Amino acid sequence: MATDRSQEAGVKRTVIRSVAALVGMFAFAFALVPLYDVFCRITGLNGKVDTTAKAIIHEEVDQTRFITVQFITRGSAGLPWQMSVETRQMRVHPGQTAEVDFTFTNNSHLESWGRAVPSVSPSSATTHLRKVSCFCFQEQQLQGDERLTIPLIFQLARDLPEDINTITLVYTLYPVQRIALNPVNNNSAVGDSI
């Protein structure tokens, strides 16, 4: 009898430990994606960039070197927009502020929302790129057949590593669904989901 109770207690402990480990693994897996995004934003890993405006730092422009900055635009399924850039490539000095225009065109007859998500290559350049004004900071709304031109204003920091001669900025468009939460009660709140 005592052996049976001892065995039952051991099985019960094993089940409780297994369930606790399972819950812990689930919680860790659930938290992993947001933690990874925060880590990438802080370190610039995988070309993830901060989506907030930075102030221009008035520093002497390094006239001794040029950096080639390339711009690539990509669309995505589900969004009938086209994004183009005025200049595909430009040369800038570290410390210099530069501006380039991007044009968004809604190729459908219906209003829609989209967001341009940036990435930077090489990823080590991410922390040296200051975006002063960028369409990527917020969602964009285009009416049917509307065309909109928005500038990207940026600055490369003077302390950009010497081994970086080319930086590539890639902007990928994604659709954003806008759904009225409670139109019956004249509630104008809008919910977003990507």
Side-chain angles (χ1 to χ4, degrees), residues 1-132:
M1 235 351 136
T3 309
D4 288 341
R5 285 188 184 181
S6 174
Q7 256 184 338
E8 281 182 29
V11 169
K12 192 174 184 180
R13 254 192 323 263
T14 303
V15 169
I16 290 172
R17 288 178 182 166
S18 297
V19 169
L22 183 64
V23 169
M25 289 188 310
F26 178 76
F28 178 72
F30 187 74
L32 196 56
V33 171
L35 289 173
Y36 180 73
D37 281 343
V38 169
F39 177 77
C40 288
R41 269 201 188 89
I42 291 170
T43 63
L45 187 67
N46 284 339
K48 295 248 182 185
V49 294
D50 195 7
T51 55
T52 56
K54 303 289 182 198
I56 292 177
I57 295 179
H58 298 287
E59 57 188 7
E60 189 176 323
V61 175
D62 182 356
Q63 299 284 346
T64 64
R65 68 188 273 228
F66 273 109
I67 307 299
T68 301
V69 181
Q70 301 172 331
F71 304 98
I72 298 173
T73 59
R74 296 181 180 152
S76 74
L79 187 64
W81 291 13
Q82 178 182 354
M83 179 170 55
S84 59
V85 62
E86 175 187 284
T87 307
R88 290 263 173 216
Q89 181 172 301
M90 64 177 18
R91 290 173 39 142
V92 295
H93 297 288
Q96 175 185 353
T97 302
E99 181 176 332
V100 62
D101 287 333
F102 285 76
T103 301
F104 298 82
T105 305
N106 184 349
N107 293 322
S108 80
H109 301 296
L110 303 173
E111 170 192 272
S112 55
W113 290 79
R115 182 171 197 129
V117 177
S119 66
V120 178
S121 179
S123 60
S124 58
T126 303
T127 56
H128 303 281
L129 174 67
R130 297 182 191 111
K131 291 184 183 177
V132 178

Side-chain angles (χ1 to χ4, degrees), residues 178-191:
R178 290 275 176 154
I179 302 166
L181 293 178
N182 195 356
V184 176
N185 294 335
N186 293 327
N187 185 351
S188 61
V190 174

